Amino acid sequence: MTPRKRIALVVVILGVCVGCDQRSKYLAAEHLRGSDGISLLADTVRLDYSENQGGFLGLGAFLPAPWRAAVFTIGCSAGIAAILSYTLIAARTGYLHVLGLSLICGGGIGNLIDRWAFGYARDFLNVGLGPIRTGIFNVADVALMAGCLLVVLAQRTRTSSGSG
């Protein structure tokens, strides 16, 4: 992939991820905050606003505020900057790998905007069947997970083709 194509792909993915994430969080805060939430598709999807002080599924939410800021704001900012730098300059990465890393960065940036602006991530999505439910998450979290899956798939594809 040429550097120009790689940069264009990264910029588009970041713009779409961060834009969709921030808009959906804004709408969730405006329409769901203080309400009982909304149940859709026979309660398969629930929209319920939550302010997540911690990381994935609230992990670390009970850490003292300075530690949370250090880990979830400063630490994650440094990690995302490193991943983004690698994504932009790595010469031998394919489209799938660049797409996956860009989704990870886009999701990370979406949540970092919340953490820098509010001190927490705004979550509002919950899916499941009956009593089996996910934690509450957001569009950035979906991008992060999709990016992780694509990076694993890209690596497996590269390894199985004999070029890794």
Side-chain angles (χ1 to χ4, degrees), residues 22 25 52-53 68-81 108-122:
Q22 289 299 302
K25 288 174 178 176
N52 182 0
Q53 300 288 331
R68 280 196 321 264
V71 172
F72 298 121
T73 305
I74 298 166
C76 288
S77 294
I80 291 166
I109 291 168
N111 280 334
L112 277 175
I113 289 170
D114 278 13
R115 294 202 183 277
W116 282 106
F118 308 113
Y120 53 82
R122 298 172 290 175

Side-chain angles (χ1 to χ4, degrees), residues 11 35 38 43 55 66 71 93 97 107-108 117 121 140 143 149 160:
V11 168
S35 76
I38 300 169
D43 204 35
V71 172
T93 55
H97 199 192
L149 290 173
S160 68

Side-chain angles (χ1 to χ4, degrees), residues 47-137:
L47 303 177
D48 192 16
Y49 182 79
S50 175
E51 295 172 351
N52 182 0
Q53 300 288 331
F56 180 71
L57 298 176
L59 216 70
F62 297 106
L63 288 172
W67 283 95
R68 280 196 321 264
V71 172
F72 298 121
T73 305
I74 298 166
C76 288
S77 294
I80 291 166
I83 294 169
L84 184 57
S85 297
Y86 172 80
T87 305
L88 291 172
I89 64 172
R92 296 184 53 199
T93 55
Y95 284 102
L96 200 57
H97 199 192
V98 171
L99 177 60
L101 292 173
S102 298
L103 286 168
I104 290 169
C105 290
I109 291 168
N111 280 334
L112 277 175
I113 289 170
D114 278 13
R115 294 202 183 277
W116 282 106
F118 308 113
Y120 53 82
R122 298 172 290 175
D123 292 338
F124 60 92
L125 294 165
N126 178 281
V127 296
L129 297 171
I132 302 171
R133 311 233 30 110
T134 64
I136 299 177
F137 58 96

